[in-house]
Amino acid sequence: EKQGFKHFMLKEIHEQPGVVRASLDAYFNPAESTESPINLGLPADLYNDLEQIQILACGTSWHAALIGKYLIEQLAEISTQVHYASEYRYAPSPVTANTLIIGVTQSGETADTLAALTMEKERRQGREPKYQARLLGITNRPESSLGHLVPHVISTLAGIEIGVAATKTFTAQLMAFYALALDLAARRQTVSKDTLDKIINGLRQIPKEIEATLESQERLTEQLAHEFAETQDFIFVGRGINFPIALEGALKLKEISYIHAEGYPAGEMKHGPIALLDAKVPVVAIAIPGSVYEKVISNAQEAKARDSRLIGVTPVNDGEAAEIFNDLLPISHVEELLSPILTVVPLQLLAYHIAARRGLDVDQPRNLAKSVTVE
Ligand code: F6R
């Protein structure tokens, strides 16, 4: 049931505050007498002596994995690689010791992800114990094929997603990665208890901040959709933890509105893609105060100098940001580390409203299926 929403995708975008709440209740609910404020129900031997993490995924799950890598490396200081499952199968990394392999798939049925995990498990069989696969799945369907393939699963708590474009399952995957990275950091003592508490308290504020964003953005994104319904190319830029959100914003727009869009790390624009820019190519820039804010603003300035219309996803509404952006999609002030859960929301809405405006079948885009069970 669409519960009054025009499409399932819009309903599912609006369900995200609830998904974050459910994840907080489930994961940030420690068993007594453990050193970690997080409880994922995973055994200690999955974490012991961990030296490396390999994450295998496709599509939107691959974007969530990139944010997972950022969190795990920055918080828990474990070297982490993210691979497209379809590529990894035919060119895997060398077998390393004490490596955790994580498959991320919301459906639990993506053929490439299952095949890459199976390959990794098989080629490690019979090796010394430290080389054997430690396998973990992150899925919205623990009863799926993935659930049978791997011994341990973090269940994401999105509930059933009907729209083909992943929205709330992405947010649920992000929550699983916050929990995993913080759990690893707590056990390895790579961040102080104060910092952990601060991050967790910040996460607890996120549901109401998504609600506020949804409320303020619905009209703004609809207006922008009106103006951009016939645009042919879009560029999305971000840096650091928001680079994967630029990729995700571009993917959402491509798959449901059929408009060409690319996501780029803002600093890479000058190495080629800036040649694409002119007054017909709008640039959506994610600019969150923190380690890369000034850099993103100066990259946005470079785009503006090529006459691109600039749309800013930012909590800042004065100073340079107010001057440089033609349009603002404002979000609440939020710690950079937590910002992706908020910055993705206006991009989902923008893609949704552009596709709806174009009269397209938002929930069932052409050529796509909810689970991709062919390789
Ligand atoms: C994007 C989308 C796809 C999936 C991809 C992986 O909106 O839906 O890119 O993310 O096919 O699917 P799962 O997560 O089921 O493995």
Side-chain angles (χ1 to χ4, degrees), residues 58-61 104-110 113 164-166 173 248 251-252 255 369-372:
C58 304
T60 288
S61 295
V104 189
T105 161
Q106 92 40 51
S107 64
E109 302 296 346
T110 297
T113 307
V164 163
Q173 289 169 341
E248 177 61 7
L251 179 62
K252 288 293 90 103
E255 62 184 338
K370 189 72 194 159
S371 330
V372 183

PDB file of all heavy atoms in Angstrom, residues 58-61 104-110 113 164-166 173 248 251-252 255 369-372, ligand 1:
ATOM      1  N   CYS A  58      27.469  -4.401  -5.483  1.00  0.00           N
ATOM      2  CA  CYS A  58      27.104  -3.811  -6.774  1.00  0.00           C
ATOM      3  C   CYS A  58      26.177  -2.606  -6.545  1.00  0.00           C
ATOM      4  O   CYS A  58      25.443  -2.561  -5.562  1.00  0.00           O
ATOM      5  CB  CYS A  58      26.315  -4.797  -7.638  1.00  0.00           C
ATOM      6  SG  CYS A  58      27.138  -6.350  -7.947  1.00  0.00           S
ATOM      7  N   GLY A  59      26.197  -1.693  -7.484  1.00  0.00           N
ATOM      8  CA  GLY A  59      25.209  -0.608  -7.527  1.00  0.00           C
ATOM      9  C   GLY A  59      25.186   0.245  -6.268  1.00  0.00           C
ATOM     10  O   GLY A  59      26.225   0.660  -5.744  1.00  0.00           O
ATOM     11  N   THR A  60      23.981   0.491  -5.780  1.00  0.00           N
ATOM     12  CA  THR A  60      23.815   1.325  -4.590  1.00  0.00           C
ATOM     13  C   THR A  60      24.496   0.695  -3.369  1.00  0.00           C
ATOM     14  O   THR A  60      25.039   1.412  -2.513  1.00  0.00           O
ATOM     15  CB  THR A  60      22.306   1.551  -4.348  1.00  0.00           C
ATOM     16  OG1 THR A  60      21.840   2.445  -5.362  1.00  0.00           O
ATOM     17  CG2 THR A  60      22.024   2.166  -2.995  1.00  0.00           C
ATOM     18  N   SER A  61      24.488  -0.628  -3.299  1.00  0.00           N
ATOM     19  CA  SER A  61      25.167  -1.285  -2.173  1.00  0.00           C
ATOM     20  C   SER A  61      26.674  -1.009  -2.212  1.00  0.00           C
ATOM     21  O   SER A  61      27.321  -0.898  -1.175  1.00  0.00           O
ATOM     22  CB  SER A  61      24.927  -2.799  -2.222  1.00  0.00           C
ATOM     23  OG  SER A  61      23.555  -3.068  -2.031  1.00  0.00           O
ATOM     24  N   VAL A 104      27.799  -7.128   0.499  1.00  0.00           N
ATOM     25  CA  VAL A 104      26.673  -6.238   0.795  1.00  0.00           C
ATOM     26  C   VAL A 104      25.657  -6.359  -0.332  1.00  0.00           C
ATOM     27  O   VAL A 104      25.973  -6.077  -1.489  1.00  0.00           O
ATOM     28  CB  VAL A 104      27.123  -4.760   0.904  1.00  0.00           C
ATOM     29  CG1 VAL A 104      25.985  -3.893   1.436  1.00  0.00           C
ATOM     30  CG2 VAL A 104      28.350  -4.621   1.784  1.00  0.00           C
ATOM     31  N   THR A 105      24.468  -6.803  -0.025  1.00  0.00           N
ATOM     32  CA  THR A 105      23.410  -6.895  -1.037  1.00  0.00           C
ATOM     33  C   THR A 105      22.049  -6.816  -0.357  1.00  0.00           C
ATOM     34  O   THR A 105      21.743  -7.647   0.502  1.00  0.00           O
ATOM     35  CB  THR A 105      23.532  -8.173  -1.908  1.00  0.00           C
ATOM     36  OG1 THR A 105      22.274  -8.435  -2.542  1.00  0.00           O
ATOM     37  CG2 THR A 105      23.972  -9.407  -1.142  1.00  0.00           C
ATOM     38  N   GLN A 106      21.294  -5.797  -0.725  1.00  0.00           N
ATOM     39  CA  GLN A 106      20.014  -5.637  -0.018  1.00  0.00           C
ATOM     40  C   GLN A 106      19.103  -6.820  -0.297  1.00  0.00           C
ATOM     41  O   GLN A 106      18.495  -7.367   0.604  1.00  0.00           O
ATOM     42  CB  GLN A 106      19.446  -4.259  -0.241  1.00  0.00           C
ATOM     43  CG  GLN A 106      18.472  -3.820  -1.324  1.00  0.00           C
ATOM     44  CD  GLN A 106      17.350  -4.660  -1.741  1.00  0.00           C
ATOM     45  OE1 GLN A 106      16.572  -5.127  -0.893  1.00  0.00           O
ATOM     46  NE2 GLN A 106      17.195  -4.855  -3.018  1.00  0.00           N
ATOM     47  N   SER A 107      19.063  -7.269  -1.558  1.00  0.00           N
ATOM     48  CA  SER A 107      18.166  -8.386  -1.899  1.00  0.00           C
ATOM     49  C   SER A 107      18.720  -9.721  -1.415  1.00  0.00           C
ATOM     50  O   SER A 107      17.970 -10.682  -1.231  1.00  0.00           O
ATOM     51  CB  SER A 107      17.993  -8.457  -3.416  1.00  0.00           C
ATOM     52  OG  SER A 107      19.242  -8.750  -4.030  1.00  0.00           O
ATOM     53  N   GLY A 108      20.028  -9.806  -1.275  1.00  0.00           N
ATOM     54  CA  GLY A 108      20.662 -11.082  -0.940  1.00  0.00           C
ATOM     55  C   GLY A 108      20.684 -12.047  -2.113  1.00  0.00           C
ATOM     56  O   GLY A 108      21.019 -13.223  -1.950  1.00  0.00           O
ATOM     57  N   GLU A 109      20.323 -11.571  -3.309  1.00  0.00           N
ATOM     58  CA  GLU A 109      20.216 -12.467  -4.470  1.00  0.00           C
ATOM     59  C   GLU A 109      21.051 -12.007  -5.662  1.00  0.00           C
ATOM     60  O   GLU A 109      20.973 -12.625  -6.723  1.00  0.00           O
ATOM     61  CB  GLU A 109      18.745 -12.577  -4.918  1.00  0.00           C
ATOM     62  CG  GLU A 109      17.773 -13.080  -3.859  1.00  0.00           C
ATOM     63  CD  GLU A 109      18.045 -14.524  -3.414  1.00  0.00           C
ATOM     64  OE1 GLU A 109      18.815 -15.238  -4.093  1.00  0.00           O
ATOM     65  OE2 GLU A 109      17.508 -14.921  -2.357  1.00  0.00           O
ATOM     66  N   THR A 110      21.800 -10.944  -5.528  1.00  0.00           N
ATOM     67  CA  THR A 110      22.564 -10.448  -6.675  1.00  0.00           C
ATOM     68  C   THR A 110      23.620 -11.471  -7.086  1.00  0.00           C
ATOM     69  O   THR A 110      24.519 -11.799  -6.312  1.00  0.00           O
ATOM     70  CB  THR A 110      23.199  -9.089  -6.328  1.00  0.00           C
ATOM     71  OG1 THR A 110      22.134  -8.174  -6.079  1.00  0.00           O
ATOM     72  CG2 THR A 110      24.069  -8.563  -7.457  1.00  0.00           C
ATOM     73  N   THR A 113      27.451 -10.727  -6.742  1.00  0.00           N
ATOM     74  CA  THR A 113      27.928 -10.632  -5.351  1.00  0.00           C
ATOM     75  C   THR A 113      28.032 -12.029  -4.749  1.00  0.00           C
ATOM     76  O   THR A 113      29.031 -12.363  -4.086  1.00  0.00           O
ATOM     77  CB  THR A 113      26.978  -9.731  -4.535  1.00  0.00           C
ATOM     78  OG1 THR A 113      26.844  -8.489  -5.238  1.00  0.00           O
ATOM     79  CG2 THR A 113      27.512  -9.470  -3.131  1.00  0.00           C
ATOM     80  N   VAL A 164      12.036   0.028  -7.365  1.00  0.00           N
ATOM     81  CA  VAL A 164      13.272  -0.604  -7.854  1.00  0.00           C
ATOM     82  C   VAL A 164      14.495   0.214  -7.417  1.00  0.00           C
ATOM     83  O   VAL A 164      15.536  -0.350  -7.070  1.00  0.00           O
ATOM     84  CB  VAL A 164      13.212  -0.794  -9.395  1.00  0.00           C
ATOM     85  CG1 VAL A 164      14.593  -1.043  -9.971  1.00  0.00           C
ATOM     86  CG2 VAL A 164      12.291  -1.964  -9.723  1.00  0.00           C
ATOM     87  N   ALA A 165      14.377   1.524  -7.421  1.00  0.00           N
ATOM     88  CA  ALA A 165      15.498   2.350  -6.979  1.00  0.00           C
ATOM     89  C   ALA A 165      15.647   2.229  -5.460  1.00  0.00           C
ATOM     90  O   ALA A 165      14.707   2.462  -4.709  1.00  0.00           O
ATOM     91  CB  ALA A 165      15.248   3.798  -7.362  1.00  0.00           C
ATOM     92  N   ALA A 166      16.837   1.845  -5.031  1.00  0.00           N
ATOM     93  CA  ALA A 166      17.078   1.657  -3.600  1.00  0.00           C
ATOM     94  C   ALA A 166      17.139   3.016  -2.895  1.00  0.00           C
ATOM     95  O   ALA A 166      17.850   3.919  -3.331  1.00  0.00           O
ATOM     96  CB  ALA A 166      18.390   0.906  -3.407  1.00  0.00           C
ATOM     97  N   GLN A 173      21.675   0.313   5.108  1.00  0.00           N
ATOM     98  CA  GLN A 173      23.052  -0.194   4.960  1.00  0.00           C
ATOM     99  C   GLN A 173      24.043   0.759   5.610  1.00  0.00           C
ATOM    100  O   GLN A 173      25.008   0.329   6.264  1.00  0.00           O
ATOM    101  CB  GLN A 173      23.407  -0.357   3.473  1.00  0.00           C
ATOM    102  CG  GLN A 173      22.685  -1.520   2.807  1.00  0.00           C
ATOM    103  CD  GLN A 173      22.836  -1.516   1.291  1.00  0.00           C
ATOM    104  OE1 GLN A 173      23.165  -0.484   0.690  1.00  0.00           O
ATOM    105  NE2 GLN A 173      22.566  -2.654   0.673  1.00  0.00           N
ATOM    106  N   GLU A 248      25.800   8.295  -5.706  1.00  0.00           N
ATOM    107  CA  GLU A 248      24.444   7.784  -5.470  1.00  0.00           C
ATOM    108  C   GLU A 248      23.390   8.754  -6.044  1.00  0.00           C
ATOM    109  O   GLU A 248      22.399   8.320  -6.631  1.00  0.00           O
ATOM    110  CB  GLU A 248      24.254   7.545  -3.966  1.00  0.00           C
ATOM    111  CG  GLU A 248      22.880   7.081  -3.527  1.00  0.00           C
ATOM    112  CD  GLU A 248      22.425   5.745  -4.100  1.00  0.00           C
ATOM    113  OE1 GLU A 248      23.204   5.048  -4.766  1.00  0.00           O
ATOM    114  OE2 GLU A 248      21.234   5.414  -3.891  1.00  0.00           O
ATOM    115  N   LEU A 251      23.356   8.171  -9.719  1.00  0.00           N
ATOM    116  CA  LEU A 251      22.737   6.879 -10.073  1.00  0.00           C
ATOM    117  C   LEU A 251      21.211   6.957  -9.955  1.00  0.00           C
ATOM    118  O   LEU A 251      20.481   6.475 -10.833  1.00  0.00           O
ATOM    119  CB  LEU A 251      23.291   5.762  -9.181  1.00  0.00           C
ATOM    120  CG  LEU A 251      22.719   4.364  -9.438  1.00  0.00           C
ATOM    121  CD1 LEU A 251      23.032   3.877 -10.852  1.00  0.00           C
ATOM    122  CD2 LEU A 251      23.271   3.348  -8.426  1.00  0.00           C
ATOM    123  N   LYS A 252      20.708   7.573  -8.870  1.00  0.00           N
ATOM    124  CA  LYS A 252      19.251   7.685  -8.711  1.00  0.00           C
ATOM    125  C   LYS A 252      18.645   8.422  -9.895  1.00  0.00           C
ATOM    126  O   LYS A 252      17.626   8.022 -10.434  1.00  0.00           O
ATOM    127  CB  LYS A 252      18.879   8.442  -7.419  1.00  0.00           C
ATOM    128  CG  LYS A 252      19.092   7.715  -6.117  1.00  0.00           C
ATOM    129  CD  LYS A 252      18.201   6.515  -5.883  1.00  0.00           C
ATOM    130  CE  LYS A 252      18.847   5.266  -6.413  1.00  0.00           C
ATOM    131  NZ  LYS A 252      19.451   4.366  -5.471  1.00  0.00           N
ATOM    132  N   GLU A 255      18.786   6.240 -13.187  1.00  0.00           N
ATOM    133  CA  GLU A 255      17.959   5.044 -13.318  1.00  0.00           C
ATOM    134  C   GLU A 255      16.471   5.342 -13.394  1.00  0.00           C
ATOM    135  O   GLU A 255      15.754   4.615 -14.055  1.00  0.00           O
ATOM    136  CB  GLU A 255      18.281   3.995 -12.246  1.00  0.00           C
ATOM    137  CG  GLU A 255      18.041   4.417 -10.843  1.00  0.00           C
ATOM    138  CD  GLU A 255      18.489   3.349  -9.842  1.00  0.00           C
ATOM    139  OE1 GLU A 255      18.594   2.173 -10.203  1.00  0.00           O
ATOM    140  OE2 GLU A 255      18.722   3.713  -8.687  1.00  0.00           O
ATOM    141  N   ALA A 369      15.568  -4.387 -12.759  1.00  0.00           N
ATOM    142  CA  ALA A 369      14.798  -5.307 -11.918  1.00  0.00           C
ATOM    143  C   ALA A 369      15.245  -5.131 -10.474  1.00  0.00           C
ATOM    144  O   ALA A 369      16.360  -4.689 -10.218  1.00  0.00           O
ATOM    145  CB  ALA A 369      15.044  -6.744 -12.358  1.00  0.00           C
ATOM    146  N   LYS A 370      14.379  -5.502  -9.565  1.00  0.00           N
ATOM    147  CA  LYS A 370      14.703  -5.312  -8.142  1.00  0.00           C
ATOM    148  C   LYS A 370      15.848  -6.222  -7.706  1.00  0.00           C
ATOM    149  O   LYS A 370      16.685  -5.821  -6.923  1.00  0.00           O
ATOM    150  CB  LYS A 370      13.451  -5.547  -7.288  1.00  0.00           C
ATOM    151  CG  LYS A 370      13.596  -5.169  -5.831  1.00  0.00           C
ATOM    152  CD  LYS A 370      13.651  -3.661  -5.616  1.00  0.00           C
ATOM    153  CE  LYS A 370      14.118  -3.276  -4.233  1.00  0.00           C
ATOM    154  NZ  LYS A 370      14.645  -1.898  -4.188  1.00  0.00           N
ATOM    155  N   SER A 371      15.863  -7.483  -8.156  1.00  0.00           N
ATOM    156  CA  SER A 371      17.047  -8.309  -7.875  1.00  0.00           C
ATOM    157  C   SER A 371      17.648  -8.744  -9.201  1.00  0.00           C
ATOM    158  O   SER A 371      16.923  -9.227 -10.076  1.00  0.00           O
ATOM    159  CB  SER A 371      16.758  -9.598  -7.103  1.00  0.00           C
ATOM    160  OG  SER A 371      15.681  -9.473  -6.285  1.00  0.00           O
ATOM    161  N   VAL A 372      18.955  -8.565  -9.310  1.00  0.00           N
ATOM    162  CA  VAL A 372      19.631  -8.902 -10.553  1.00  0.00           C
ATOM    163  C   VAL A 372      20.266 -10.275 -10.388  1.00  0.00           C
ATOM    164  O   VAL A 372      21.375 -10.417  -9.897  1.00  0.00           O
ATOM    165  CB  VAL A 372      20.681  -7.827 -10.924  1.00  0.00           C
ATOM    166  CG1 VAL A 372      21.317  -8.155 -12.266  1.00  0.00           C
ATOM    167  CG2 VAL A 372      20.023  -6.453 -10.972  1.00  0.00           C
TER     168      VAL A 372
HETATM  169  C1  F6R B   1      20.039   1.197  -7.440  1.00  0.00           C
HETATM  170  C2  F6R B   1      19.774  -0.216  -7.433  1.00  0.00           C
HETATM  171  C3  F6R B   1      20.831  -1.186  -7.919  1.00  0.00           C
HETATM  172  C4  F6R B   1      21.147  -2.148  -6.797  1.00  0.00           C
HETATM  173  C5  F6R B   1      22.109  -3.235  -7.259  1.00  0.00           C
HETATM  174  C6  F6R B   1      22.531  -4.154  -6.140  1.00  0.00           C
HETATM  175  O1  F6R B   1      18.958   1.929  -7.014  1.00  0.00           O
HETATM  176  O2  F6R B   1      18.729  -0.614  -6.996  1.00  0.00           O
HETATM  177  O3  F6R B   1      21.976  -0.507  -8.331  1.00  0.00           O
HETATM  178  O4  F6R B   1      21.696  -1.431  -5.732  1.00  0.00           O
HETATM  179  O5  F6R B   1      21.500  -3.985  -8.290  1.00  0.00           O
HETATM  180  O6  F6R B   1      21.423  -4.776  -5.559  1.00  0.00           O
HETATM  181  P1  F6R B   1      21.540  -5.551  -4.202  1.00  0.00           P
HETATM  182  O7  F6R B   1      21.812  -4.571  -3.115  1.00  0.00           O
HETATM  183  O8  F6R B   1      20.223  -6.260  -4.046  1.00  0.00           O
HETATM  184  O9  F6R B   1      22.685  -6.525  -4.347  1.00  0.00           O
END
